Amino acid sequence: MKTYALYHLKGGVGKTTSAINLAYLAAKEGHKTLLWDVDPQGASTYLLEQKAKVKGGLSKALSNGEDWKNAVKKTDYKNLYLLPSDLRNRHLDVSLREMEASKKRFKQFLAHLKQNFDYIFIDCPPNLGLSAENVFHAANFVLLPTIPSKLSEHSLDQVALFFNEKNYDKRKLIPFFTLVDKRRKVHRETMDHFKKKKRKIMRAFIPYSATIEKMSIERAPVHSFSARSKAASSYRNLWQELKWFRKLK
């Protein structure tokens, strides 16, 4: 089982749309795939037309990992399952502090899922609290959707600094560009800057696209309603590139 966390310090960077489309592509290949919506805003849950509620709340599921089957829901897409968001997730950091091994609860929970799913994608809330630390412990890779700008580069540096301070494995951090508009000078210059400085970044990038914005209307992955679009092609390229990364021990 490989686990990819979609994470960023700020919202509006394409985290949720990337989580949904990558999970969809994994499922379409025949892999049993789970999308775990940890963000209390529940955007992934909404776009997959599910109810944002977990019986007993996520805290209960984390306390008793064997109850995961009661929380996971089928979606309209073959092989794609959802662990929905819940508004109570906004208190998740507080709940985690009250648990033993509070920084490893996600990892313990995922261990119960290991024999049941090939891929797990986690749509994370935009914070650096205890839930984020759980994600950093549990995920094989932390994918960082990044708008090409100085501010986004600064956010990447903040996450890298946090990993250094906590002695986490920085090899897990996999940034990729999103909402790219090559007509904008700052986007072109930022992407060139990354290339010249040889900063770690995926080759594939996700363009700014009305097709992706249409996901909120269709409430579906891009590939299910616009498979030949540039946006769909970009996510396919990103997924193919991601599969080359071997799981870190």
Side-chain angles (χ1 to χ4, degrees):
M1 181 186 75
K2 276 188 182 180
T3 305
Y4 299 95
L6 277 294
Y7 174 83
H8 204 284
L9 275 171
K10 61 191 295 293
V13 297
K15 175 174 58 68
T16 293
T17 51
S18 295
I20 289 174
N21 284 295
L22 291 172
Y24 174 86
L25 288 171
K28 193 167 186 274
E29 290 180 347
H31 304 292
K32 196 172 181 182
T33 303
L34 175 68
L35 176 55
W36 182 5
D37 189 358
V38 181
D39 194 335
Q41 295 182 67
S44 285
T45 301
Y46 172 80
L47 290 176
L48 290 176
E49 298 193 90
Q50 298 290 323
K51 187 176 181 180
K53 190 173 182 63
V54 175
K55 187 176 181 180
L58 180 56
S59 298
K60 182 179 178 181
L62 291 173
S63 297
N64 185 1
E66 294 180 359
D67 284 344
W68 67 268
K69 290 183 180 180
N70 294 324
V72 171
K73 308 297 180 185
K74 289 183 178 181
T75 72
D76 293 335
Y77 308 99
K78 186 178 180 180
N79 299 317
L80 181 58
Y81 297 78
L82 176 73
L83 203 171
S85 177
D86 191 302
L87 190 58
R88 287 169 289 186
N89 288 2
R90 69 191 189 280
H91 302 307
L92 185 57
D93 281 3
V94 176
S95 299
L96 286 167
R97 289 191 193 98
E98 297 172 352
M99 299 179 190
E100 293 182 8
S102 61
K103 293 183 181 180
K104 297 182 179 180
R105 277 290 169 174
F106 279 29
K107 190 169 187 176
Q108 292 169 359
F109 181 65
L110 290 172
H112 291 283
L113 305 176
K114 188 175 183 179
Q115 303 304 318
N116 296 277
F117 295 98
D118 303 308
Y119 289 103
I120 295 179
F121 293 83
I122 307 174
D123 188 358
C124 304
N127 63 45
L128 267 180
L130 200 49
S131 56
E133 291 195 67
N134 266 269
V135 166
F136 299 155
H137 274 293
N140 299 122
F141 299 103
V142 180
L143 309 182
L144 298 152
T146 303
I147 299 172
S149 68
K150 281 291 183 182
L151 187 58
S152 290
E153 187 174 1
H154 174 64
S155 295
L156 287 182
D157 291 338
Q158 286 181 298
V159 176
L161 180 62
F162 186 81
F163 265 63
N164 280 336
E165 290 175 350
K166 298 290 184 176
N167 291 317
Y168 296 150
D169 189 347
K170 287 206 303 181
R171 293 178 299 168
K172 288 186 176 186
L173 297 176
I174 311 293
F176 63 96
F177 286 123
T178 53
L179 301 177
V180 174
D181 184 351
K182 287 197 170 182
R183 296 170 299 179
R184 298 185 62 182
K185 184 179 179 181
V186 67
H187 284 206
R188 297 195 306 272
E189 288 180 346
T190 301
M191 295 175 80
D192 288 342
H193 172 74
F194 268 71
K195 186 175 181 179
K196 288 176 183 177
K197 294 292 183 180
K198 296 183 178 180
R199 291 203 59 168
K200 183 179 181 180
I201 194 82
M202 300 287 280
R203 291 182 182 178
F205 64 87
I206 309 304
Y208 177 81
S209 169
T211 305
I212 295 175
E213 290 184 337
K214 195 177 178 183
M215 284 178 63
S216 62
I217 300 172
E218 298 289 339
R219 295 182 70 178
V222 165
H223 302 77
S224 68
F225 64 87
S226 188
R228 295 184 179 181
S229 65
K230 185 177 179 180
S233 176
S234 297
Y235 276 118
R236 285 194 294 269
N237 292 339
L238 179 61
W239 176 233
Q240 291 304 316
E241 190 175 350
L242 279 172
K243 288 192 294 183
W244 283 98
F245 285 87
R246 292 188 176 184
K247 185 165 63 175
L248 301 175
K249 294 182 179 179

